[in-house]
mmCIF file of all heavy atoms in Angstrom:
data_model
loop_
_atom_site.group_PDB
_atom_site.id
_atom_site.type_symbol
_atom_site.label_atom_id
_atom_site.label_comp_id
_atom_site.label_asym_id
_atom_site.label_seq_id
_atom_site.Cartn_x
_atom_site.Cartn_y
_atom_site.Cartn_z
ATOM 1 N N HIS A 44 -64.984 4.392 41.952
ATOM 2 C CA HIS A 44 -65.492 3.185 42.592
ATOM 3 C C HIS A 44 -66.347 2.408 41.586
ATOM 4 O O HIS A 44 -66.995 3.002 40.711
ATOM 5 C CB HIS A 44 -66.329 3.577 43.815
ATOM 6 C CG HIS A 44 -66.725 2.427 44.667
ATOM 7 N ND1 HIS A 44 -67.768 1.587 44.358
ATOM 8 C CD2 HIS A 44 -66.203 1.962 45.820
ATOM 9 C CE1 HIS A 44 -67.876 0.657 45.284
ATOM 10 N NE2 HIS A 44 -66.930 0.872 46.190
ATOM 11 N N ASP A 45 -66.358 1.093 41.720
ATOM 12 C CA ASP A 45 -67.116 0.251 40.797
ATOM 13 C C ASP A 45 -68.605 0.589 40.771
ATOM 14 O O ASP A 45 -69.290 0.314 39.782
ATOM 15 C CB ASP A 45 -66.951 -1.234 41.156
ATOM 16 C CG ASP A 45 -65.565 -1.757 40.833
ATOM 17 O OD1 ASP A 45 -64.818 -1.089 40.080
ATOM 18 O OD2 ASP A 45 -65.222 -2.853 41.321
ATOM 19 N N LEU A 46 -69.132 1.201 41.808
ATOM 20 C CA LEU A 46 -70.535 1.598 41.835
ATOM 21 C C LEU A 46 -70.845 2.625 40.741
ATOM 22 O O LEU A 46 -71.980 2.737 40.293
ATOM 23 C CB LEU A 46 -70.879 2.174 43.213
ATOM 24 C CG LEU A 46 -72.335 2.468 43.493
ATOM 25 C CD1 LEU A 46 -73.194 1.211 43.374
ATOM 26 C CD2 LEU A 46 -72.488 3.071 44.879
ATOM 27 N N PHE A 47 -69.821 3.356 40.289
ATOM 28 C CA PHE A 47 -69.997 4.397 39.275
ATOM 29 C C PHE A 47 -69.503 3.906 37.919
ATOM 30 O O PHE A 47 -68.616 4.496 37.300
ATOM 31 C CB PHE A 47 -69.284 5.674 39.713
ATOM 32 C CG PHE A 47 -69.757 6.148 41.050
ATOM 33 C CD1 PHE A 47 -68.950 6.034 42.169
ATOM 34 C CD2 PHE A 47 -71.027 6.665 41.209
ATOM 35 C CE1 PHE A 47 -69.383 6.434 43.416
ATOM 36 C CE2 PHE A 47 -71.479 7.070 42.456
ATOM 37 C CZ PHE A 47 -70.667 6.957 43.565
ATOM 38 N N ALA A 48 -70.108 2.815 37.469
ATOM 39 C CA ALA A 48 -69.725 2.187 36.208
ATOM 40 C C ALA A 48 -70.944 1.517 35.589
ATOM 41 O O ALA A 48 -71.953 1.310 36.269
ATOM 42 C CB ALA A 48 -68.618 1.157 36.451
ATOM 43 N N ALA A 49 -70.839 1.208 34.320
ATOM 44 C CA ALA A 49 -71.949 0.594 33.592
ATOM 45 C C ALA A 49 -71.482 -0.642 32.837
ATOM 46 O O ALA A 49 -70.330 -0.715 32.411
ATOM 47 C CB ALA A 49 -72.539 1.591 32.592
ATOM 48 N N PHE A 50 -72.400 -1.593 32.662
ATOM 49 C CA PHE A 50 -72.126 -2.722 31.792
ATOM 50 C C PHE A 50 -72.015 -2.169 30.371
ATOM 51 O O PHE A 50 -72.907 -1.469 29.895
ATOM 52 C CB PHE A 50 -73.255 -3.745 31.820
ATOM 53 C CG PHE A 50 -73.493 -4.393 33.157
ATOM 54 C CD1 PHE A 50 -74.705 -5.000 33.416
ATOM 55 C CD2 PHE A 50 -72.528 -4.431 34.149
ATOM 56 C CE1 PHE A 50 -74.955 -5.637 34.619
ATOM 57 C CE2 PHE A 50 -72.764 -5.060 35.365
ATOM 58 C CZ PHE A 50 -73.988 -5.660 35.593
ATOM 59 N N ALA A 51 -70.917 -2.484 29.687
ATOM 60 C CA ALA A 51 -70.689 -1.955 28.344
ATOM 61 C C ALA A 51 -70.157 -3.042 27.423
ATOM 62 O O ALA A 51 -69.210 -3.746 27.780
ATOM 63 C CB ALA A 51 -69.704 -0.801 28.387
ATOM 64 N N CYS A 52 -70.746 -3.151 26.232
ATOM 65 C CA CYS A 52 -70.179 -4.023 25.207
ATOM 66 C C CYS A 52 -68.870 -3.399 24.731
ATOM 67 O O CYS A 52 -68.590 -2.227 25.008
ATOM 68 C CB CYS A 52 -71.154 -4.200 24.046
ATOM 69 S SG CYS A 52 -71.392 -2.715 23.036
ATOM 70 N N SER A 53 -68.083 -4.159 24.013
ATOM 71 C CA SER A 53 -66.781 -3.655 23.573
ATOM 72 C C SER A 53 -66.903 -2.411 22.699
ATOM 73 O O SER A 53 -66.097 -1.488 22.811
ATOM 74 C CB SER A 53 -66.003 -4.750 22.842
ATOM 75 O OG SER A 53 -66.736 -5.209 21.722
ATOM 76 N N ALA A 54 -67.928 -2.346 21.858
ATOM 77 C CA ALA A 54 -68.077 -1.200 20.961
ATOM 78 C C ALA A 54 -68.465 0.067 21.725
ATOM 79 O O ALA A 54 -67.899 1.140 21.488
ATOM 80 C CB ALA A 54 -69.110 -1.506 19.872
ATOM 81 N N CYS A 55 -69.412 -0.045 22.647
ATOM 82 C CA CYS A 55 -69.797 1.120 23.450
ATOM 83 C C CYS A 55 -68.645 1.545 24.364
ATOM 84 O O CYS A 55 -68.414 2.740 24.558
ATOM 85 C CB CYS A 55 -71.051 0.821 24.265
ATOM 86 S SG CYS A 55 -72.567 0.780 23.272
ATOM 87 N N HIS A 56 -67.907 0.574 24.904
ATOM 88 C CA HIS A 56 -66.759 0.897 25.753
ATOM 89 C C HIS A 56 -65.710 1.676 24.960
ATOM 90 O O HIS A 56 -65.168 2.677 25.440
ATOM 91 C CB HIS A 56 -66.168 -0.389 26.331
ATOM 92 C CG HIS A 56 -65.200 -0.173 27.435
ATOM 93 N ND1 HIS A 56 -64.239 -1.083 27.755
ATOM 94 C CD2 HIS A 56 -65.032 0.859 28.307
ATOM 95 C CE1 HIS A 56 -63.522 -0.624 28.775
ATOM 96 N NE2 HIS A 56 -63.989 0.551 29.128
ATOM 97 N N ASP A 57 -65.439 1.243 23.730
ATOM 98 C CA ASP A 57 -64.495 1.979 22.883
ATOM 99 C C ASP A 57 -64.971 3.406 22.635
ATOM 100 O O ASP A 57 -64.178 4.354 22.650
ATOM 101 C CB ASP A 57 -64.298 1.262 21.547
ATOM 102 C CG ASP A 57 -63.422 0.035 21.661
ATOM 103 O OD1 ASP A 57 -62.711 -0.124 22.680
ATOM 104 O OD2 ASP A 57 -63.439 -0.783 20.709
ATOM 105 N N GLU A 58 -66.270 3.570 22.426
ATOM 106 C CA GLU A 58 -66.804 4.902 22.134
ATOM 107 C C GLU A 58 -66.742 5.810 23.361
ATOM 108 O O GLU A 58 -66.315 6.961 23.262
ATOM 109 C CB GLU A 58 -68.241 4.792 21.614
ATOM 110 C CG GLU A 58 -68.820 6.087 21.123
ATOM 111 C CD GLU A 58 -68.105 6.692 19.917
ATOM 112 O OE1 GLU A 58 -67.435 5.970 19.152
ATOM 113 O OE2 GLU A 58 -68.238 7.922 19.728
#
Side-chain angles (χ1 to χ4, degrees):
H44 189 281
D45 289 345
L46 188 59
F47 304 108
F50 297 160
C52 70
S53 59
C55 286
H56 193 204
D57 284 344
E58 187 63 23

